[in-house]
């Protein structure tokens, strides 16, 4: 006696329907997950990147006043980043607060003329930024970035 499996209304096996629905759902999440960031967020991130690079050079030159200026620029730019993420992910919003604290610590270290403190704070800032970027940023073929 031959055993036949029943077919669903679409002419496919029912056990494959759930797999198909899962695959389509995951594909949909992937497509929806990548988004273009708003201009104020992009501007803040570019400001932070430029100021962080300048602060790194200023630390190497032991230019405390320049480090203070660049760290202040970073601190002032982070609220736009935190606002963006607060609406999307409390985990990432916390990452931005960690990075903002490192930038604030960098500014304080420069005011105290502590080269060791600046180096430590700059490393903390770099680590916080890198962790978030690797988890939540996707490089596009044209060289721009989108949010994962």
């Amino acid at each position: 006696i031959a055993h036949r499996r029943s077919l669903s209304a679409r002419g496919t096996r029912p056990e494959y329907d759930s797999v198909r629905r899962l695959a389509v759902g995951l594909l949909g999440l992937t497509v929806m997950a990548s988004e273009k960031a708003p201009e104020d967020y992009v501007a803040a991130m570019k400001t932070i990147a430029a100021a962080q690079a300048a602060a790194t050079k200023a630390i190497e030159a032991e230019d405390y006043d320049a480090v203070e200026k660049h760290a202040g620029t970073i601190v002032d730019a982070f609220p736009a980043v935190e606002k963006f993420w607060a609406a999307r992910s409390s985990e990432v919003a916390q990452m931005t607060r960690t990075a903002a604290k490192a930038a604030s610590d960098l500014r304080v270290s420069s005011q105290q003329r502590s080269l060791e403190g600046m180096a430590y704070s700059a490393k903390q800032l770099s680590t916080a930024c890198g962790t978030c970027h690797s988890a939540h940023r996707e490089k596009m073929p044209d060289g721009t970035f989108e949010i994962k």
Side-chain angles (χ1 to χ4, degrees):
I1 300 176
H3 178 70
R4 284 181 117 162
R5 292 187 181 201
S6 64
L7 298 179
S8 71
R10 286 191 302 237
T12 61
R13 292 184 183 161
E15 62 268 22
Y16 293 128
D17 285 345
S18 61
V19 172
R20 186 174 292 110
R21 274 188 241 116
L22 176 64
V24 169
L26 290 175
L27 178 62
L29 283 176
T30 301
V31 171
M32 289 175 17
S34 183
E35 69 176 286
K36 274 221 178 279
E39 285 305 313
D40 62 331
Y41 175 86
V42 171
M45 294 300 285
K46 287 181 178 181
T47 296
I48 291 167
Q52 188 175 6
T56 298
K57 289 181 182 178
I59 291 168
E60 291 168 2
E62 297 183 33
D63 185 345
Y64 300 102
D65 293 332
V67 173
E68 181 180 359
K69 175 186 163 205
H70 298 305
T73 299
I74 296 168
V75 169
D76 292 344
F78 261 112
V81 176
E82 185 177 351
K83 179 183 172 189
F84 175 82
W85 284 108
R88 288 164 177 77
S89 167
S90 60
E91 177 189 346
V92 182
Q94 180 57 47
M95 287 179 175
T96 63
R97 286 190 291 277
T98 299
K101 168 115 175 38
S104 180
D105 292 348
L106 178 60
R107 181 167 53 186
V108 169
S109 294
S110 69
Q111 291 166 342
Q112 294 175 343
R113 304 300 197 237
S114 171
L115 188 57
E116 183 178 290
M118 291 188 312
Y120 178 81
S121 298
K123 183 172 175 47
Q124 294 298 108
L125 177 60
S126 180
T127 299
C129 292
T131 299
C132 191
H133 288 180
S134 66
H136 301 286
R137 185 174 78 159
E138 181 177 10
K139 189 168 187 174
M140 304 311 293
D142 66 358
T144 61
F145 294 95
E146 288 190 6
I147 307 299
K148 286 184 187 179

